[in-house]
Amino acid sequence: MNIRGFQKFTLVDFPGRMACVVFVGECNFRCGYCHNPCLVFDPESQPLISEDEIVSFLEKRKGKLDGVVVSGGEPSLRDGLEEFMLKIKRLGFLVKLDTNGSNPERVITAIRDGLIDALGIDYKAPSYKYNEIANCCAKDLSSKVRSIIKYAVDNDIFIDVRTTVHQRLLSRGDLTEMRTELSALGLREWTLQQFNPVEIIDDELLAAGTYSDTELVEIASSLPDTRVRGLSGIFID
Ligand code: SF4
C-alpha cells in the first residue's frame, strides 16, 4: 500500500467519528495548493509504515476508535487497497476513503463490495477547468469525479464533498457554477475549505492574495447548502 504517514487520532477527518488516518504515497494530480507535496513527489522521503503496524495499532484501539480514514496521496492508485480495507473492516472499524475521484470504477466496486462506509472527495473546479486545476490531463476527469458523487448520493453513502478555495484558482463565478453542477447530482451539503498557506506545490499561491474567512463565509451564504471549514478543521460562520 506504500503507507507513508499515520495520524493516530482525528475528530475532523471522519465526520461524526473518532478515527485515525493512513496516508499513502503518490498521486496522479498536481494541485497547486496540495499541502502534502512530499507524498506526491517523493513518498520515499517518508518512512514506510507496514500494514502490520496499522493492524497492530487498531487491535489495541478496538472500542476506542470508530474508524480509519484511508487518505493520500491517492489511495485508488495503490495495489492492495481492497485487501487493506478488508483487514480494517474485519477488525470491526469503519472505513472512509479519501479520493480525488479519478478512479470511479474501482471506488464504486469497493463500495458495492462493502469495503467503504464513507467517502471524502475533493471537487476541485467547475468542469470547464477541472484538468487545469488538478494539473492532470486525464480524459473526462470531471465526469469521473462526478460519477462517484452521483453514485454516493443515489445509494445513500455518506460523502464529504469539499473544495479548497484560492482566489487565484476559483472565482466567485466558478464557485457558483460548481454549486450548480453539484446540485444537479442531487448533492446537498458542500464544504468550502480555506486555503492553507503551508509548504505546497505552487509557491506562487502563497504570495497571491486569497479570500479571507469572512469573504468565504459570505460566498458560501450566497449559495445553497454551502458552508466553510476553516484552517482548524472546524466549520465557521
Ligand atoms: S489530489 Fe490531493 S494529494 Fe493529489 S495533488 Fe491534489 S491535493 Fe495533493
Side-chain angles (χ1 to χ4, degrees):
M1 276 289 290
N2 199 20
I3 299 169
R4 297 287 174 171
F6 183 45
Q7 183 181 333
K8 292 183 176 175
F9 186 71
T10 176
L11 281 172
V12 297
D13 294 281
F14 197 152
R17 306 287 183 183
M18 288 187 287
C20 59
V21 190
V22 170
F23 298 92
V24 304
E26 297 179 33
C27 187
N28 50 344
F29 288 9
R30 296 289 182 268
C31 314
Y33 49 71
C34 179
H35 56 267
N36 277 329
C38 62
L39 278 180
V40 173
F41 291 116
D42 188 18
E44 286 72 26
S45 67
Q46 306 300 308
L48 184 64
I49 301 168
S50 71
E51 291 182 30
D52 287 348
E53 282 178 69
I54 305 295
V55 167
S56 160
F57 170 85
L58 291 174
E59 278 169 344
K60 288 182 249 165
R61 290 299 188 282
K62 283 184 183 174
K64 294 177 182 152
L65 289 181
D66 304 310
V68 179
V69 181
V70 182
S71 188
E74 175 47 41
S76 72
L77 300 176
R78 306 307 316 169
D79 288 342
L81 172 64
E82 291 78 3
E83 291 79 2
F84 180 58
M85 294 193 293
L86 183 59
K87 283 183 198 172
I88 297 170
K89 295 288 294 176
R90 283 186 171 154
L91 286 166
F93 294 91
L94 299 168
V95 171
K96 173 170 173 268
L97 181 74
D98 281 354
T99 176
N100 63 22
S102 60
N103 204 340
E105 297 83 5
R106 190 172 184 187
V107 172
I108 289 170
T109 299
I111 295 171
R112 287 188 177 131
D113 290 344
L115 299 173
I116 295 172
D117 302 288
L119 287 166
I121 194 161
D122 293 350
Y123 196 59
K124 295 184 178 294
S127 53
Y128 50 77
K129 62 195 293 191
Y130 214 95
N131 292 76
E132 174 196 338
I133 300 299
N135 272 312
C136 172
C137 59
K139 207 165 164 251
D140 301 326
L141 194 51
S142 70
S143 302
K144 288 179 177 175
V145 179
R146 285 202 303 277
S147 70
I148 295 183
I149 297 171
K150 178 95 170 84
Y151 182 86
V153 169
D154 289 350
N155 291 278
D156 214 15
I157 308 294
F158 176 87
I159 184 164
D160 177 26
V161 180
R162 60 278 172 118
T163 300
T164 298
V165 183
H166 190 291
Q167 190 166 8
R168 184 158 164 178
L169 303 179
L170 296 173
S171 68
R172 289 173 187 247
D174 290 332
L175 292 165
T176 300
E177 175 61 22
M178 291 169 76
R179 179 65 263 188
T180 301
E181 291 176 357
L182 291 171
S183 295
L185 302 175
L187 184 85
R188 288 204 57 216
E189 289 193 339
W190 178 38
T191 299
L192 306 182
Q193 293 188 149
Q194 182 57 282
F195 167 73
N196 192 3
V198 292
E199 183 190 4
I200 54 173
I201 288 179
D202 182 358
D203 286 342
E204 290 186 10
L205 293 179
L206 294 172
T210 187
Y211 305 108
S212 65
D213 283 358
T214 305
E215 287 171 316
L216 261 192
V217 168
E218 182 253 311
I219 293 168
S221 65
S222 72
L223 302 169
D225 300 314
T226 304
R227 54 192 178 165
V228 176
R229 192 182 284 140
L231 291 180
S232 66
I234 307 292
F235 291 105
I236 54 177
D237 52 25

